[in-house]
Amino acid sequence: MEGRSKAAPADARRQNRSLLLRALFRAGPMSRADLARASGLTPTTVSTVVGELVDVGMIEEAGRMSTGSVGKPATLVSVVADARHVVCLDLSNDDEIRGAVVNLACKPVTRRTIRRRSRAGTLLWGQPVADLAVTLARELCDSADRPLLGVGVSTPGVVDTEGVVALSAHLGFDHLALGPLLAERLRLPVRVANDAHAAALGELALAPGTTGNLLLIRITGGIGAGIVLNHQLVTGASHAAGEIGHVVVNPRGERCACGNRGCLETVVSVPLARLRAVGRADRPTLVRAGRHLGAAVAHLVSALDLDTVVLSGIDEALGEPFRLATLDAIRSRTLGDLGQRLDLRLSDFGDDDALLGAAVLILDQELGVA
Ligand SMILES: [Zn+2]
């Protein structure tokens, strides 16, 4: 009991810091009065917490803003983007692991990649891939010239809350303790998540104006989704929420790598990958793939009352016909109002969606900003 009573004020302090940082991350520089309104904290608490955050260099005073009324202009405060840095990795690419050091505004300050191949040039699987991830993360940590908050990792596969990758066919991981391995080697806070889950959290934290109810569909070699409801990532009973790629949409369709026929991946990601490989935006193929995807996710949009669907991993060249066909298919399968107000867009973060999402994992865990 003693421990608990001691922890409570620390928790409250941490929560108050998170509320202010989250408001500043979302809205940019604000006055103390605006921060009190946005966070629901009292002006006295805001002043105290702002003072603490200024003392540790996390926020700074950033000029004055006229309030339009009598009296002196309000002083604005803002996050110091380079007060702390975060190391992030994305393991979802075919042939390489991508990494970066990013600042608190999620702007990369250093980027590095490492090939997922042996010296002889063969593609690596399982533990050697995890060892490469450690090597890349260590190089990035060594290159950082600011205090690091931690290391965030996006990986294909099902990942539990301890950072153990239960299964990733893409990387040959089978109950691989990637998070614990990185934490032990780097002595920093580490958080590992499924790539689509991380990208969804990134979208939530970094894209302006999200309402906190979104579905992010990541189309790479396969398809994964991240679902955010009421600003919370949905992980499900076994951390596998959003694994929609092997839902069968055409039982007489093409054979899938999983053994079934006509999985969503075979009618969406496979044809899109073929177009990408030949560098052609064949409209009928894009429209057909979009219709299949829309038909499959209309259920999710309806069941969860989502107002935003974000497509990521789609080149802009392929994007528009595919996006419109997907939107059309969702609208024709959902009740009028829900479909009409649905915002279906391509991710603004391009190839960086899962990488920046990995950074947001740490920003959220350490500062509570997502
Ligand atoms: Zn399948």
Side-chain angles (χ1 to χ4, degrees), residues 245-248 255-266:
H246 297 283
V247 171
V248 174
R255 180 76 69 190
C256 176
C258 74
N260 273 337
R261 281 187 181 278
C263 295
L264 192 58
E265 287 192 3
T266 65

Side-chain angles (χ1 to χ4, degrees), residues 49-137:
V49 180
V50 163
E52 289 170 8
L53 288 168
V54 168
D55 285 347
V56 295
M58 291 284 292
I59 66 176
E60 64 187 352
E61 298 202 333
R64 290 174 183 274
M65 173 190 68
S66 169
T67 55
S69 57
V70 187
K72 69 175 187 180
T75 303
L76 299 175
V77 293
S78 68
V79 173
V80 179
D82 286 304
R84 305 284 187 279
H85 284 173
V86 174
V87 168
C88 48
L89 303 182
D90 172 14
L91 276 61
S92 68
N93 297 284
D94 283 343
D95 210 35
E96 61 186 19
I97 301 175
R98 300 176 61 215
V101 178
V102 305
N103 69 12
L104 294 178
C106 266
K107 294 276 177 289
V109 292
T110 309
R111 287 178 184 270
R112 273 188 208 187
T113 58
I114 197 164
R115 287 178 76 218
R116 195 188 135 191
R117 298 212 167 245
S118 70
R119 287 214 179 97
T122 51
L123 194 63
L124 296 171
W125 300 89
Q127 186 64 44
V129 181
D131 294 337
L132 282 183
V134 171
T135 302
L136 182 59

Side-chain angles (χ1 to χ4, degrees), residues 32-33 76 90 94 99 103 105 111 149 160 169 177 188 224 229 261 269 275 286 296 305 311 342 346 362 364:
R32 287 169 175 78
L76 299 175
D90 172 14
D94 283 343
N103 69 12
R111 287 178 184 270
L149 282 178
D160 73 13
L188 281 169
L229 279 184
R261 281 187 181 278
S269 33
L275 290 185
L286 290 170
D305 186 16
L311 303 176
L342 182 72
L346 302 186
I362 288 294
D364 187 33

Side-chain angles (χ1 to χ4, degrees), residues 161-187:
T161 46
E162 307 301 315
V164 176
V165 187
L167 188 69
S168 171
H170 181 83
L171 298 167
F173 288 176
D174 181 2
H175 292 92
L176 196 141
L178 183 62
L181 174 74
L182 284 160
E184 189 219 306
R185 299 282 175 85
L186 303 169
R187 303 274 162 208

Side-chain angles (χ1 to χ4, degrees), residues 173-329:
F173 288 176
D174 181 2
H175 292 92
L176 196 141
L178 183 62
L181 174 74
L182 284 160
E184 189 219 306
R185 299 282 175 85
L186 303 169
R187 303 274 162 208
L188 281 169
V190 172
R191 196 164 156 209
V192 183
N194 168 271
D195 56 337
H197 289 190
L201 266 187
E203 195 71 30
L204 174 71
L206 305 173
T210 66
T211 63
N213 293 287
L214 67 92
L215 171 69
L216 179 135
I217 304 169
R218 192 156 199 265
I219 305 172
T220 51
I223 297 184
I227 302 162
V228 173
L229 279 184
N230 299 324
H231 292 274
Q232 297 287 323
L233 180 71
V234 175
T235 51
S238 56
H239 315 287
E243 290 284 325
I244 58 173
H246 297 283
V247 171
V248 174
V249 293
N250 177 12
R252 286 196 294 265
E254 275 184 48
R255 180 76 69 190
C256 176
C258 74
N260 273 337
R261 281 187 181 278
C263 295
L264 192 58
E265 287 192 3
T266 65
V267 296
V268 180
S269 33
V270 171
L272 291 188
R274 282 183 195 139
L275 290 185
R276 221 175 278 136
V278 295
R280 245 181 69 217
D282 177 56
R283 196 182 160 81
T285 307
L286 290 170
V287 169
R288 210 162 34 240
R291 282 187 187 142
H292 277 302
L293 183 64
V297 302
H299 306 282
L300 276 174
V301 170
S302 281
L304 302 175
D305 186 16
L306 302 170
D307 57 17
T308 307
V309 174
V310 182
L311 303 176
S312 85
I314 301 288
D315 323 13
E316 252 175 65
L318 304 183
E320 200 51 13
F322 179 72
R323 186 188 76 82
L324 288 174
T326 308
L327 182 59
D328 232 32

